[in-house]
Amino acid sequence: MNPQNDLSEYLLRLADSALVQGQRLCEWCGRAPALEEEMALMNVGLDLVGQARNWYEYAAELLADGRDADRLAYRRDERAYRNLLLVEQPNGDYAVTMAKQFLYDVWHFHTLAALTGSADARVTGIAAKALKEVTYHLRRSAEWVQRLGDGTEESHRRMVAAVRELWRFTVELVHADQVEERLHRAGIAPNPEELATAWRAKVADVFSSAGLAMPEPASHFYLSGKRGLHTEHLGLLLAEMQFLQRAYPDATW
Amino acid sequence: MRPGELIASDRGARPAAAGDLALARAVLERVMDPEVPVVSVVDLGIVREIDWRDGHLHLVVTPTYSGCPATELIESEIGAALKQAGFAAPRLERRLDPAWTTDWISERGRERLRAYGIAPPHGSASKRSLLGESPQVHCPQCGSAHTELLSQFGSTACKALYRCRDCLEPFDYFKCI
């Protein structure tokens, strides 16, 4: 693979994770536990969908195969999606939603912070913009993990269950594959393993203030979102998200 | 820009380029943010450059938030206002880098936000204000500093929701970013 192929692959990972996380948040539309939460969830979702578009647009330029951002988002099948397994998991209760957001936000924050030092100027520009937004996302999700973890007996029980359910999917947040290793050598993207220390430290810090035990590092299993091997949940999410463009290709409104 | 969009040149639409730029600026000062219709795109700080290039008025516009749904609307309103003022084919360049910051909102923009009932961003968008403790936000209705944060995210991505503990009014705060 040449560096350009690696970069477009990597950009799709960033874009797909942001889009799928944004889509999951938007599933809360009309169902959030409070009006303020509804607004916050949609705001964060909107930020992520916007960031995804910025990454897709750059990926589309590098791929130069005639597909634009919309086509990349709405016409690729599950196996072509490169998002992290974590973000495709169902929303569950509010503890699962916020735990998922938090684990992703910590990874997202450190990844974007590292990308602001990328050798690629386009990457730097998109990352710097996204980082400002994600800083707010992380503040909020960390507060929710604390509030639920250190709240009532019931909220604590649910947050513990949420962490137990999601933790195994964190393995790909902190392990590099060859694409990331090559981009790291080229100075374009960080090696996730180098960010792992910061990721673990932040998660442990918030868990500690939330009265949650820090689990042992998750162990590898055969699925990998980065390689397009997804859990059964992504297909269902895409079926809903892509329906209109699949049924009415190139529809605009 | 798609091919074919720039069929007309606005060379000669106005007698002098220098005059054109002043006119363009005056036009842009009347194009309001659709979400906050008292603050112009100039006062919001999203118009980064106004220039005359190859016979066209050339603008650089920096969006506020990655997912701001008003981005396209603002760009089309800018284009429409300029065309109406006699610039036949203004070119808009969307630029992300450097990222927009609330530090670019003008003093006049801040005053208008306040008068409209939105507390303007407090201080500079340094890392400290993004990461640190909640800022001291004054109620735009009564001026009291006795306010509390209700939600980090308000009616739009750029705002947080506060409440005044003196006059009891809820209000939006334009977040530092």
Side-chain angles (χ1 to χ4, degrees):
Chain A
M1 278 233 206
N2 67 41
Q4 207 171 4
N5 288 345
D6 281 340
L7 181 54
S8 58
E9 176 76 9
Y10 184 75
L11 294 172
L12 287 178
R13 292 177 182 182
L14 293 171
D16 291 344
S17 286
L19 182 63
V20 170
Q21 177 69 8
Q23 175 72 12
R24 279 284 185 232
L25 290 176
C26 294
E27 288 175 8
W28 276 105
C29 190
R31 304 173 192 183
L35 187 58
E36 289 79 7
E37 283 309 298
E38 173 106 4
M39 282 154 63
L41 292 162
M42 297 310 114
N43 271 213
V44 174
L46 202 56
D47 280 346
L48 292 172
V49 172
Q51 292 168 16
R53 183 164 80 163
N54 289 336
W55 296 125
Y56 281 135
E57 282 173 353
Y58 188 24
E61 284 175 37
L62 295 178
L63 290 165
D65 56 8
R67 290 183 294 176
D68 62 7
D70 279 347
R71 214 172 167 93
L72 289 171
Y74 294 119
R75 308 269 194 98
R76 273 181 310 137
D77 288 331
E78 177 197 349
R79 287 294 291 267
Y81 257 72
R82 296 290 182 256
N83 60 281
L84 297 164
L85 297 173
L86 176 70
V87 297
E88 72 197 35
Q89 299 312 305
N91 284 331
D93 61 16
Y94 217 57
V96 172
T97 294
M98 295 319 300
K100 188 157 52 120
Q101 183 75 42
F102 170 68
L103 295 171
Y104 171 67
D105 285 344
V106 181
W107 172 86
H108 203 193
F109 176 86
H110 287 294
T111 300
L112 291 171
L115 287 173
T116 60
S118 171
D120 184 294
R122 276 287 288 282
V123 168
T124 310
I126 297 171
K129 177 138 206 72
L131 180 61
K132 290 180 172 215
E133 295 156 3
V134 170
T135 304
Y136 277 105
H137 302 175
L138 176 55
R139 270 178 77 168
R140 174 171 177 278
S141 61
E143 283 170 13
W144 264 112
V145 169
Q146 285 165 348
R147 190 172 304 170
L148 293 176
D150 191 28
T152 65
E153 210 170 285
E154 175 72 3
S155 74
H156 177 78
R157 183 184 66 75
R158 287 183 181 236
M159 190 45 91
V160 168
V163 171
R164 192 188 309 126
E165 170 66 22
L166 296 170
W167 191 254
R168 61 199 152 128
F169 300 112
T170 62
V171 64
E172 56 180 351
L173 273 57
V174 290
H175 286 284
D177 73 351
Q178 291 185 343
V179 170
E180 288 156 334
E181 281 168 4
R182 285 195 296 265
L183 287 172
H184 176 59
R185 280 196 296 276
I188 291 172
N191 183 325
E193 288 174 21
E194 289 183 7
L195 304 180
T197 311
W199 184 86
R200 288 203 181 93
K202 176 68 179 177
V203 171
D205 183 41
V206 171
F207 277 14
S208 149
S209 66
L212 299 165
M214 182 72 180
E216 289 298 308
S219 49
H220 286 279
F221 59 118
Y222 74 98
L223 294 175
S224 162
K226 294 175 187 176
R227 289 189 291 126
L229 299 172
H230 293 279
T231 59
E232 70 270 32
H233 307 295
L234 181 65
L236 293 167
L237 179 145
L238 294 181
E240 183 177 23
M241 187 182 81
Q242 297 181 331
F243 172 78
L244 195 126
Q245 282 296 327
R246 299 283 194 180
Y248 304 95
D250 302 320
T252 56
W253 58 88
Chain B
M1 291 262 179
R2 290 181 188 142
E5 263 183 348
L6 298 173
I7 43 171
S9 163
D10 42 4
R11 189 197 300 276
R14 294 279 147 189
D20 280 347
L21 293 184
L23 174 66
R25 179 169 283 277
V27 169
L28 293 171
E29 281 177 355
R30 294 195 298 272
V31 178
M32 298 296 153
D33 179 332
E35 299 278 9
V36 191
V38 291
V39 178
S40 77
V41 293
V42 174
D43 284 326
L44 197 57
I46 63 170
V47 176
R48 303 309 300 156
E49 289 174 23
I50 306 176
D51 208 349
W52 195 260
R53 279 188 216 168
D54 309 324
H56 292 280
L57 186 68
H58 184 99
L59 293 187
V60 174
V61 179
T62 295
T64 52
Y65 278 71
S66 298
C68 179
T71 303
E72 272 92 5
L73 180 61
I74 289 174
E75 289 173 355
S76 79
E77 288 187 350
I78 287 174
L82 289 168
K83 282 176 191 163
Q84 202 176 9
F87 299 94
R91 285 176 168 171
L92 264 67
E93 179 191 336
R94 192 186 298 176
R95 189 183 289 168
L96 294 182
D97 186 25
W100 180 81
T101 161
T102 40
D103 294 351
W104 293 350
I105 300 178
S106 70
E107 267 312 310
R108 182 171 60 178
R110 284 161 202 264
E111 277 315 309
R112 288 186 176 172
L113 280 173
R114 205 186 328 267
Y116 190 62
I118 299 173
H122 184 269
S124 131
S126 64
K127 209 168 181 182
R128 178 181 294 222
S129 72
L130 281 174
L131 287 168
E133 291 306 302
S134 297
Q136 174 88 62
V137 175
H138 291 260
C139 172
Q141 311 291 346
C142 72
S144 165
H146 197 210
T147 62
E148 62 182 341
L149 175 73
L150 291 181
S151 173
Q152 293 279 2
F153 295 87
S155 55
T156 60
C158 52
K159 287 174 269 172
L161 195 59
Y162 274 73
R163 175 167 53 200
C164 178
R165 294 165 96 169
D166 283 333
C167 74
L168 305 179
E169 284 289 322
F171 64 92
D172 274 331
Y173 166 62
F174 211 108
K175 283 185 283 196
C176 257
I177 193 166

